[in-house]
Amino acid sequence: MGNCIQGCKDYFSRQKNTNIRLTLPVVCFVWQIAMIILFGVFIRYDEESDTHWVETKAHDNITSDIENDFYFRYPSFQDVHVMIFVGFGFLMTFLKRYSFGAVGFNFLVASFGLQWALLMQGWFHSLDPQTGKIFIGVESLINADFCVAGCLIAYGAVLGKVSPVQLLVMTLFGVTLFAVEEYIILNLLHARDAGGSMVIHTFGGYYGLTISWVLYRPNLNQSKRMQGSVYHSDIFAMIGTLFLWMFWPSFNSAITDHGDGQHRAAINTYLCLASTVLTTVAISSLSQKTGKLDMVHIQNSTLAGGVALGTAAEFMISPYGALIVGFFCGIISTMGYIFISPFLEKTLKIQDTCGIHNLHAMPGVIGGIVGAITAAAASESVYGKGDMGRIEGDVPEGEGLKLTLSPLFTGSILRLPIWGDPADENCFDDEVYWELPDEEEEHQESIPPILEYNNHMIHKQQDL
């Protein structure tokens, strides 16, 4: 009887893998064909990227091509693009056997999502009522990357536990919800959120956490052997951290107004991040009886200041104010990894693989509060008459924080047994979806695990 049951399980497991091998290429091909059609119908170059730029210059008395928005925005776009494809991807390579999935699926999700983001954001923000077309330029590319960032944040919560097709479905709904909540917060509530503390990080964080809650796996401990890092995987993850840390001033300043606002956003973020590193190191050391540092904290909590300053980055928060925000974010984020993440998993049944609650969701809420306080304290003596016109009425008053739209429907769809997600004992393992080098398979048992993580939150030394 037991052999019969096991045989049935093996059969359905083989069928599941066959479905994935067939479904993933079908989804990719069909989606790309759909994008070609939709782009052909709706997407056009804007006036600064069209061949009629010469006529636009003459009409607007523009004397030099250097005034084209490309030359103002492209350096920031390049930095943000590196954050999306390199920073986020490598930050998630900490798992000992899921580096291909971290970087490769990050690549897939970002490429899939940015195309849909250009359409969704275009329909909500820049659809020309006369022609019915969406006109895109370099700033559109930055905003599409921002939209994708929210989905990659959500990916961190389910890292290693879902199939690539589930990730694409999750991104499809995530980009759609992002465009809606972005329109509500920025266009209807008129909140200012240049660095996306509310729009990107709070949304992406709670979108991913809710889906993780819906997809809760009570038997995930069957893959406990894979829920850890080795020395080289943590080094690769640290590469992602450093790329994100270095380029975060560009992220927070990329779409701010030219001039003093953009300049100020870069300075404030730069200082806030530096302050965050010091308090993260301090709390990490204090949390260990030996006084040693936890690499989980260094990889993640050191970035929390960039998240929390996103809303207020362009405001006159002052250099010491930026340091204060970073000071408290390093403490709160690190304490989140130590205390809150275990509580979320044990009590609320939220399995947060990367700890996105502590790096994105919670600092994003802090960022919304900091932005609201800073905007409420704005005065004409500080901003001048010109800037006060933009600041007044832009206080979110906490409303933006309530608009993280529920992804329960998305999670329910992802629970359907048609997506080829890995079995509990095969989570966090690249072998399910990737062809691995022979030498990796031959020597995997010869490399002893050095650190064992409980969902990237708690580690302990093993006897070798």
Side-chain angles (χ1 to χ4, degrees), residues 172-240:
L172 173 65
F173 285 101
V175 169
T176 305
L177 290 174
F178 181 96
V180 173
E181 60 100 21
E182 180 186 47
Y183 179 79
I184 294 172
I185 292 174
L186 302 185
N187 293 68
L188 300 184
L189 295 179
H190 301 289
R192 299 188 69 83
D193 192 19
S197 293
M198 296 180 293
V199 174
I200 300 171
H201 300 283
T202 304
F203 167 79
Y206 288 112
Y207 178 68
L209 290 170
T210 307
I211 290 178
S212 182
W213 176 70
V214 175
L215 300 180
Y216 176 71
R217 289 172 176 260
N219 299 315
L220 192 61
N221 61 340
Q222 293 181 13
S223 58
K224 185 176 176 62
R225 70 194 187 282
M226 295 296 183
Q227 296 179 46
S229 73
V230 289
Y231 194 83
H232 66 267
S233 67
D234 269 333
I235 289 294
F236 274 109
M238 195 64 197
I239 291 173

Side-chain angles (χ1 to χ4, degrees), residues 46-64:
D46 68 6
E47 62 179 9
E48 296 192 57
S49 54
D50 190 82
T51 52
H52 296 289
W53 165 244
V54 176
E55 300 169 12
T56 302
K57 284 198 302 180
H59 180 269
D60 296 339
N61 294 320
I62 298 174
T63 58
S64 172

Side-chain angles (χ1 to χ4, degrees), residues 393-460:
D394 289 334
V395 184
E397 296 179 350
E399 292 300 321
L401 303 178
K402 301 175 184 177
L403 292 171
T404 302
L405 303 179
S406 173
L408 293 171
F409 176 70
T410 306
S412 300
I413 291 176
L414 295 178
R415 282 186 65 88
L416 297 175
I418 60 174
W419 307 115
D421 52 308
D424 290 334
E425 64 271 18
N426 294 326
C427 288
F428 315 110
D429 191 349
D430 275 331
E431 192 172 2
V432 179
Y433 302 114
W434 296 87
E435 291 289 342
L436 300 181
D438 291 339
E439 61 270 19
E440 180 74 6
E441 295 177 352
E442 291 174 4
H443 298 293
Q444 61 178 322
E445 297 300 330
S446 66
I447 302 176
I450 296 176
L451 296 177
E452 181 178 309
Y453 290 80
N454 179 12
N455 289 341
H456 201 41
M457 294 177 295
I458 301 174
H459 74 273
K460 56 186 178 181

